[in-house]
Amino acid sequence: MSIEENKRLVRRFYQEIDAGNVDAMDELVAEDYKDHSPPPFPGLGAPGREGLKQAFRLFWESTPGTHDIEDQIAEGDKVVTRLTARGVFEKDLPGVPATGKPITMTGTVIHRIENGKLAEKWSDKDLFGFLQQIGVIPPPDGAA
């Protein structure tokens, strides 16, 4: 695949997530997908594409929202995407009751593409800020 096709694949991946289309993962993600930065919740240990689908379902049901791609750079078989995710904390996450409040998280994600599918992912997300927004970590003193 060309660099532009790889970028389109990653953009489509986020569009399908935003649409809640878990079935699209079968087309877009390799069966032996490797997530080097899994979600910070227990019980999401399934390997490969099934593990991704499990995390997708959990977050889609709990915090439906959108991903805005701010920047995207590609070279060879890798695509780097800087994005902002926005949602509303509507349903409980493992051990964390829903607040109904909006949440925002920024991140930079590297996907490796193999045979036209997402094969690996590395990400650097603002998990600290996310965990503060959902009430797992208290905000700094004096913050609202």
Side-chain angles (χ1 to χ4, degrees):
M1 290 179 60
S2 73
I3 287 172
E4 288 306 314
E5 289 170 321
N6 288 346
K7 288 166 69 174
R8 276 193 295 277
L9 174 66
V10 172
R11 285 192 300 270
R12 178 162 174 232
F13 172 75
Y14 287 110
Q15 290 168 350
E16 298 295 353
I17 288 174
D18 291 351
N21 186 4
V22 71
D23 293 334
M25 299 304 108
D26 292 333
E27 177 187 345
L28 303 174
V29 178
E31 187 174 346
D32 61 348
Y33 176 80
K34 176 70 175 160
D35 186 347
H36 297 279
S37 312
F41 293 102
L44 294 176
R49 180 172 56 214
E50 288 309 309
L52 173 68
K53 289 167 128 181
Q54 184 182 34
F56 178 157
R57 284 183 193 100
L58 172 73
F59 282 99
W60 175 250
E61 291 173 6
S62 299
T63 61
T66 60
H67 294 81
D68 295 322
I69 294 176
E70 312 290 349
D71 291 303
Q72 202 172 48
I73 301 165
E75 184 173 329
D77 63 352
K78 292 189 179 73
V79 177
V80 179
T81 306
R82 186 176 66 85
L83 54 84
T84 302
R86 293 178 178 82
V88 177
F89 189 15
E90 293 182 353
K91 288 182 70 181
D92 297 352
L93 286 166
V96 186
T99 64
K101 294 181 181 178
I103 54 174
T104 301
M105 183 171 63
T106 58
T108 303
V109 183
I110 302 170
H111 284 100
R112 185 179 68 78
I113 290 88
E114 182 178 297
N115 298 321
K117 293 188 176 189
L118 303 177
E120 287 185 270
K121 180 197 91 171
W122 299 262
S123 62
D124 183 14
K125 302 172 189 162
D126 180 15
L127 287 178
F128 187 78
F130 172 73
L131 293 172
Q132 281 184 322
Q133 290 176 73
I134 66 170
V136 173
I137 297 173
D141 290 342

